[in-house]
Amino acid sequence: MKFLLAAPGSRGDFQPMLALARGLRAAGHEATVAARPLYAPDAAAFEVPFVPLGRDADEFLRTQSGPNAIQAFLAQELQAQLDVLPALAAGADLVLGAGMAFAVRSAAEAAGVASLAVAYAPGLFMPSGRRSILLPEPLLLTLRAFHSKHGLPDVENLLAYAFAPERVLLAADAALVGPLGGVTLWAPPTGALLLEDPRPLDAGLEAFLAAGAPPVYIGFGSLTGSAPGLNEHLLREVVGAVGCRALLYTGTVPPGRQETNGQLFRIGHTSHAQLFARVAAVMHHGGAGTLAAAARAGVPQVVVPHAYDQPFWAERAHRLGIAPAPVPARGVDAPTLIAALRHALESPSIQAQARALATTLSPRNGVETVVKSLTLRPR
């Protein structure tokens, strides 16, 4: 079979689809990933065919200003998908869209190809979650114009159309997601799509890990630097007050050029699966992939949600007993973070619950489950 996997979003959207593409190719199928150009080297490293789709959000926002910048970016993204995806979809047996792939269903139907939406959290397909997501009206108008041009049925609600539950594949662990309120999906939750990276950790990082007690990992994914108060100065204050060692994800330090400074060791993109098993706790933004990796590692978490589905995951981690109460990025301060990190590191109940939850999560990578579902089940 031939698959097109569209993931025009952040690394958290792209990396699971890269993992799925590898799994499909290992099973003898053709799979191409379409994502932001900056992820082309990642696809090449795993020998997965790649097609650029959309622009880098950081690049766009650096050149734009004002309250309409994000709306303009989303409008350009949708138009780019409608321009590019129909031709890419032609000849595929199935198109899958994740993250900001709002146009995948429309593009696939225009090409006469089946499609599914891949979700990493319930917000996009649950009515209660959709109400909290405000998309600019021009996006719906653009999509309706595309449908009219291609003779497709009209669309009244973009998210309800693109993420209709019966055509959603939820790539998350059922134990982490919790109850879905009776919503019926295309398939039961499959488990997280984990990218198995056999490459060893950087030598400098290995040396830092071996030099003392397990550190705390601190990283906020693609949102690093987006919360004004959540800067390195504040994080240094937190680490110093707690008295722990820490790994600080900067998003900019390339492999082989990490820099150490006292208790903090700066790192770039690193395999969470390998790293989290060797840390004392994980402080992060609440991205689905980061939370799943930390949960599987059985370590306590401190979740600092910024936006999107992150408040949902932050609350779930707290309810599951593997993290203190969420610490929202907006208005964050050192005393609150210090208290939360101390609680995560010193609470016997959080430590025990994190270890216990890890034993309940499926040891099997969700990729295997999805590959079987996609290739054996009629669509």
Side-chain angles (χ1 to χ4, degrees):
M1 296 180 66
K2 185 175 181 179
F3 296 86
L4 172 65
L5 287 67
S10 68
R11 177 173 291 277
D13 300 313
F14 160 75
Q15 190 161 293
M17 297 293 264
L18 178 61
L20 179 55
R22 289 188 71 204
L24 288 166
R25 289 172 61 79
H29 304 284
E30 296 182 50
T32 298
V33 174
R36 301 200 188 286
L38 76 162
Y39 299 132
D42 296 86
F46 291 99
E47 300 181 338
V48 171
F50 180 87
V51 178
L53 176 64
R55 294 178 58 186
D56 176 21
D58 292 339
E59 175 192 351
F60 179 86
L61 294 175
R62 278 195 300 269
T63 61
Q64 302 291 323
S65 61
N68 296 323
I70 294 179
Q71 292 190 10
F73 175 73
L74 291 174
Q76 288 192 14
E77 284 295 298
L78 179 66
Q79 190 60 60
Q81 293 174 35
L82 293 173
D83 290 342
V84 173
L85 287 177
L88 293 178
D93 295 297
L94 181 66
V95 181
L96 296 104
M100 294 171 56
F102 301 135
V104 159
R105 181 178 181 181
S106 301
E109 290 187 355
V113 176
S115 69
L116 289 173
V118 178
Y120 305 126
L124 290 172
F125 61 79
M126 298 280 282
S128 58
R130 289 193 198 124
R131 285 194 290 270
S132 66
I133 303 173
L134 300 177
L135 293 179
E137 182 68 18
L139 268 68
L140 177 59
L141 298 179
T142 298
L143 194 69
R144 296 179 77 173
F146 178 87
H147 276 237
S148 177
K149 177 181 177 181
H150 291 273
L152 301 175
D154 194 18
V155 177
E156 295 184 1
N157 183 299
L158 191 155
L159 291 179
Y161 173 78
F163 297 95
E166 67 275 8
R167 52 178 306 280
V168 167
L169 192 156
L170 178 56
D173 292 285
L176 296 180
V177 173
L180 295 177
V183 172
T184 301
L185 304 177
W186 183 79
T190 64
L193 304 178
L194 305 174
L195 182 64
E196 297 178 351
D197 190 346
R199 295 173 293 183
L201 298 178
D202 175 78
L205 173 56
E206 284 283 7
F208 181 80
L209 290 170
V216 172
Y217 171 90
I218 303 174
F220 304 105
S222 59
L223 294 175
T224 297
S226 64
L230 199 60
N231 51 43
E232 185 170 326
H233 176 77
L234 179 142
L235 295 173
R236 283 182 178 279
E237 182 179 350
V238 171
V239 170
V242 174
C244 62
R245 302 195 318 145
L247 299 169
L248 178 61
Y249 173 78
T250 67
T252 58
V253 179
R257 293 187 60 190
Q258 289 92 339
E259 300 173 8
T260 186
N261 189 337
Q263 292 172 292
L264 276 179
F265 189 83
R266 299 182 185 87
I267 60 173
H269 179 64
T270 306
S271 168
H272 287 171
Q274 293 188 53
L275 183 59
F276 286 179
R278 302 171 65 181
V279 303
V282 175
M283 179 187 293
H284 62 98
H285 57 308
T290 307
L291 184 138
R296 286 170 177 265
V299 296
Q301 305 184 38
V302 175
V303 189
V304 186
H306 291 55
Y308 313 117
D309 58 348
Q310 295 158 18
F312 167 82
W313 287 119
E315 186 59 36
R316 283 297 300 163
H318 181 49
R319 289 189 180 185
L320 288 166
I322 60 176
V327 182
R330 182 184 294 273
V332 68
D333 57 39
T336 306
L337 272 183
I338 290 168
L341 183 55
R342 279 181 173 156
H343 186 37
L345 291 172
E346 298 173 2
S347 167
S349 63
I350 290 180
Q351 298 273 348
Q353 186 59 25
R355 291 191 296 268
L357 179 63
T359 66
T360 69
L361 299 178
S362 172
R364 188 169 60 181
N365 193 331
V367 168
E368 181 181 344
T369 301
V370 174
V371 169
K372 288 183 177 179
S373 295
L374 294 179
T375 55
L376 298 179
R377 174 178 168 173
R379 286 172 295 281

